[in-house]
Amino acid sequence: MGTLTLALRTAQSGLLANQQALDVTSRNISNVNTEGYSRKVVRFENSALVGAGSGVNISEIMRTVDEGLLKSFRIESSELNAMSSQNTFWDRLQDLFGSPEANTSLSHTISAFSEAVESVVVSPNNALEHTEAVRRAEDMLQQLQQMSIAIQELRLQADQKLSDVATEINSLVGEIDTLNDDIIASGSVSRETSDLKDQRDLKISRLSELID
């Protein structure tokens, strides 16, 4: 009778372990396009009772994650987002200065003023040259004032963006801290933590995009 009971329990352990493995496989399939989800692999181990084999257990549900590749991705993502954020403002500043060959650029306005002043030096008694120099000076002053206002607006926008990013960073840090606590608590009672680790990785990756 004891041998039959042990055989039934052994068979039951195999069925339960494979049922859980099938559940993991179905999750892998259903989440194939889910952002941040990593494929899970079930690792089995033999179970023994009083020196005799008593079936099989699942020792661990492992994530198929290349930590080195993930680290490199985060570094590159951080640098890319840092450059992208800067490039947005550099492009807008470049638009304010304008292309050197454009008639509306700052360099063209300054050149026109410089030429008008040189004409006054050459013909100091010519009233038209004086008028033209004053007009060119007013054009240059007006353009500089407009640029100053636009640059101040860009500074305000940058400050607001930094504030928004800081708020998101603080939120992510809090969420990562909570996930760490949940992972430790679940691991201490032998509960599966792979999905929690996926969530943590997703938030860490987002944090790496913002931190620079």
Side-chain angles (χ1 to χ4, degrees), residues 46-66:
N46 292 325
S47 176
L49 182 64
V50 194
S54 60
V56 63
N57 291 321
I58 290 180
S59 64
E60 185 181 7
I61 297 178
M62 300 179 59
R63 302 188 309 149
T64 54
V65 175
D66 188 330

Side-chain angles (χ1 to χ4, degrees), residues 9-30:
R9 287 180 178 173
T10 300
Q12 182 186 38
S13 71
L15 289 172
L16 291 174
N18 281 281
Q19 182 181 22
Q20 191 171 355
L22 286 172
D23 177 61
V24 171
T25 301
S26 67
R27 284 162 50 197
N28 287 338
I29 295 172
S30 62

Side-chain angles (χ1 to χ4, degrees), residues 63-81:
R63 302 188 309 149
T64 54
V65 175
D66 188 330
E67 295 292 347
L69 180 61
L70 185 59
K71 179 180 179 181
S72 297
F73 171 78
R74 287 171 179 163
I75 292 173
E76 295 299 325
S77 177
S78 179
E79 293 177 354
L80 174 62
N81 280 274

